[in-house]
């Protein structure tokens, strides 16, 4: 971008900024390309330090409306929307400099799309919509892939009309998959739409053995303390996975432990569109098989993230491995919440990933798989319509539809761990994607730069 002329844009995230990675990557890319970016988002989880430290990014954090008792939910929902509307309008109309364009994600579309559209009209700015999913399909999460269902609620119909209207009104639309682009073009006649696939930023990568050792030392003294209880061979110079060996008086060498467990990671937002009972049933089946074979490695499942169903499943995990009714012996499950800096590091030393995302529309793609591929972690994932655009079965991962299939796949991949896992290593070689920066500059930058 040519120097001398200041260019301003705005990114709107009606959600926790720290848990909105795609919009963070948009923001960083715009700022790196020379734009002054006003990022409007909820206060919440601390985002990656690159965002907080960037001199061209001004975070405009809005407050969430305080929760009311459940019996007052209709009143709470109304007041929450009004509260969001006031804050967004105030920032968009009176506080920020006039942006050349406003980039807003959907979902959620209510109330952000309508407010941003109004602000674009007042300030003579262009509207850009980034489609992560079809929001109206999320209003009935118990029915997955309900995209063509004729039985949707009155609220879902309103939501659907708003999304369709915004897509047609926008000067530019991005979406995450070819399936989504084709559906929006065919069913809603949205023509100005471009596929911008999720890709990992440069901080998702394999990390060195020394970095792994330091990470596990930190985690086992904080959010993963239980590992010291489960795996007895841990001392001040070792972790569950690594050990310090003294080569000379002044030289220490970090090595993997020969009996380390397989590190299997699953990232989740703990919502109904991820059925954790599949993973739970698979782990129970796996434990029986592992216990019957003394040469089979132990399995450690680390589940990251936070969300509404976390407490429920965490209690079930604990019942399976602690107390009088515990049945797990060689498989362990631990739930952790990681900082924005720790999460890519843990992915960077994981052996295998599990994705339980089932799309409400069948058109979006799980970003957690993108993160795992950035760290060269092969993935076993629940299969659905658009997933083949990201995971090619038997090439960079495996797809499954049942807990029995998942258990079978894990057994197949980690038998012979750590040195004789030929299939796992073949999948790892192919578990890679272009970087977010490379992909964004090729597809998005020129299109956004001409919006004035």
């Amino acid at each position: 971008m040519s120097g001398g002329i200041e260019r301003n844009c705005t990114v709107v995230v009606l959600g926790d900024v720290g848990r909105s990675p795609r919009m963070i990557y948009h923001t960083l890319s715009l700022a790196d390309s020379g734009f002054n970016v006003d990022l409007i988002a909820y206060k919440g989880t601390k985002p990656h330090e690159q965002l907080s430290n960037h001199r061209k990014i001004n975070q405009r954090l809005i407050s969430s409306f305080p929760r009311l008792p459940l019996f007052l939910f209709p009143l709470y929902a109304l007041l929450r929307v009004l509260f969001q509307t006031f804050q967004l309008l105030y920032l968009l109309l009176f506080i920020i400099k006039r942006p050349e364009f406003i980039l807003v994600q959907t979902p959620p579309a209510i109330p952000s799309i309508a407010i941003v559209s109004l602000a674009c009209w007042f300030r003579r700015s262009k509207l850009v919509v980034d489609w992560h999913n079809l929001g109206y399909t999320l209003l009935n999460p118990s029915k997955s892939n309900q995209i063509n269902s004729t039985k949707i609620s009155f609220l879902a119909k309103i939501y659907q009309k708003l999304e369709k209207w915004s897509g047609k009104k926008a000067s530019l639309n991005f979406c995450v998959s070819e399936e989504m682009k084709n559906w929006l073009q065919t069913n809603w006649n949205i023509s100005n739409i471009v596929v911008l696939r999720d890709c990992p930023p440069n901080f998702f990568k394999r990390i060195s053995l020394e970095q792994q050792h330091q990470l596990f030392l930190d985690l086992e003294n904080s959010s993963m303390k239980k590992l010291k209880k489960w795996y007895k061979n841990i001392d001040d110079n070792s972790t569950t996975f690594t050990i310090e060996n003294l080569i000379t008086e002044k030289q220490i060498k970090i090595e993997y432990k020969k009996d380390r467990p397989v590190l299997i990671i699953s990232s989740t937002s703990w919502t109904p569109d991820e059925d954790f009972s599949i993973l739970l049933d698979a782990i129970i089946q796996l434990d029986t098989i592992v216990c019957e074979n003394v040469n089979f490695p132990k399995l450690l499942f680390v589940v990251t993230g936070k969300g509404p169903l976390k407490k429920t499943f965490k209690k079930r995990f604990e019942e399976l491995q602690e107390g009088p009714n515990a049945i797990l012996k060689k498989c362990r499950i631990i739930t952790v919440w990681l900082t924005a800096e720790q999460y890519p590091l843990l992915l960077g030393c994981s052996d295998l990933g599990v994705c339980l995302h089932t799309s409400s529309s069948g058109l979006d793609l799980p970003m957690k798989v993108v993160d795992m591929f950035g760290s060269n972690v092969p993935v076993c994932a629940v299969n659905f319509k658009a997933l083949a655009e990201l995971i090619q079965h038997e090439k960079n991962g495996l797809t499954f539809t049942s807990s029995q299939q998942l258990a079978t796949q894990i057994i197949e991949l980690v038998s012979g761990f750590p040195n004789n896992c030929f299939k796992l290593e073949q999948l790892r070689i192919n578990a890679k994607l272009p970087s977010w920066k490379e992909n964004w500059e090729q597809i998005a930058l020129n299109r956004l730069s001409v919006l004035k």
Side-chain angles (χ1 to χ4, degrees), residues 195-452:
V195 177
L196 178 65
R197 299 187 188 280
D198 286 319
C199 290
N202 56 13
F203 46 79
F204 284 99
K205 57 188 177 183
R206 301 304 293 179
I207 63 174
S208 69
L209 196 51
E210 289 72 23
Q211 287 175 301
Q212 293 183 39
H213 183 66
Q214 187 57 55
L215 175 66
F216 290 125
L217 284 174
D218 294 340
L219 291 177
E220 290 176 8
N221 286 306
S222 55
S223 58
M224 294 172 68
K225 285 183 178 179
K226 283 189 175 181
L227 296 186
K228 290 185 175 182
K229 176 183 174 183
W230 292 338
Y231 302 102
K232 305 297 184 181
N233 59 340
I234 300 175
D235 54 37
D236 292 340
N237 298 319
S238 69
T239 72
T240 305
F241 304 90
T242 57
I243 189 169
E244 295 178 6
N245 284 324
L246 193 64
I247 305 301
T248 65
E249 289 186 5
K250 297 182 179 181
Q251 186 180 6
I252 293 174
K253 184 179 181 181
I254 307 298
E255 295 179 326
Y256 282 123
K257 287 184 172 177
K258 293 181 180 179
D259 61 345
R260 71 184 186 276
V262 182
L263 177 56
I264 304 174
I265 191 163
S266 183
S267 308
T268 178
S269 53
W270 296 103
T271 53
D273 65 352
E274 294 179 309
D275 186 359
F276 254 81
S277 62
I278 293 178
L279 178 60
L280 206 56
D281 292 344
I283 291 173
I284 293 171
Q285 296 173 47
L286 282 166
D287 194 72
T288 302
I289 297 169
V290 172
C291 288
E292 291 174 352
N293 187 341
V294 293
N295 295 319
F296 204 89
K298 295 178 180 177
L299 306 178
L300 174 63
F301 293 83
V302 178
V303 184
T304 72
K306 61 182 179 181
L309 297 180
K310 182 175 181 177
K311 285 185 179 179
T312 302
F313 277 96
K314 187 175 181 180
K315 184 178 179 181
R316 291 180 64 185
F317 294 163
E318 290 172 351
E319 289 171 350
L320 284 172
Q321 53 197 354
E322 296 177 5
N325 299 318
I327 61 173
L328 297 182
K329 296 180 175 61
K330 295 187 73 173
C331 292
R332 292 295 182 184
I333 319 165
I334 189 167
T335 59
V336 295
W337 171 249
L338 302 169
T339 67
E341 288 74 34
Q342 288 174 330
Y343 174 60
L345 293 176
L346 186 60
L347 283 186
C349 49
S350 297
D351 300 303
L352 179 65
V354 174
C355 175
L356 301 167
H357 176 83
T358 54
S359 171
S360 62
S361 65
L363 304 177
D364 68 316
L365 295 169
M367 199 162 190
K368 62 203 73 182
V369 173
V370 173
D371 297 338
M372 291 173 186
F373 282 177
S375 303
N376 294 123
V377 178
V379 180
C380 296
V382 175
N383 199 14
F384 63 90
K385 187 176 181 181
L387 189 64
E389 292 185 34
L390 182 60
I391 295 181
Q392 289 81 53
H393 185 67
E394 298 281 356
K395 182 178 179 181
N396 57 5
L398 301 174
T399 59
F400 61 88
T401 56
S402 68
S403 59
Q404 185 173 1
Q405 270 189 311
L406 175 58
T408 301
Q409 288 173 358
I410 292 175
I411 290 291
E412 180 184 8
L413 291 176
V414 304
S415 294
F417 185 85
N419 298 318
N420 298 302
C421 303
F422 176 76
K423 186 169 184 176
L424 182 67
E425 290 308 312
Q426 283 299 110
L427 293 179
R428 187 185 306 284
I429 291 170
N430 295 315
K432 55 187 177 182
L433 290 169
S435 71
W436 170 271
K437 182 178 186 295
E438 174 188 344
N439 191 53
W440 189 90
E441 288 179 350
Q442 180 181 347
I443 295 172
L445 179 57
N446 288 339
R447 290 179 170 90
L448 291 170
S449 296
V450 299
L451 295 177
K452 293 185 179 181

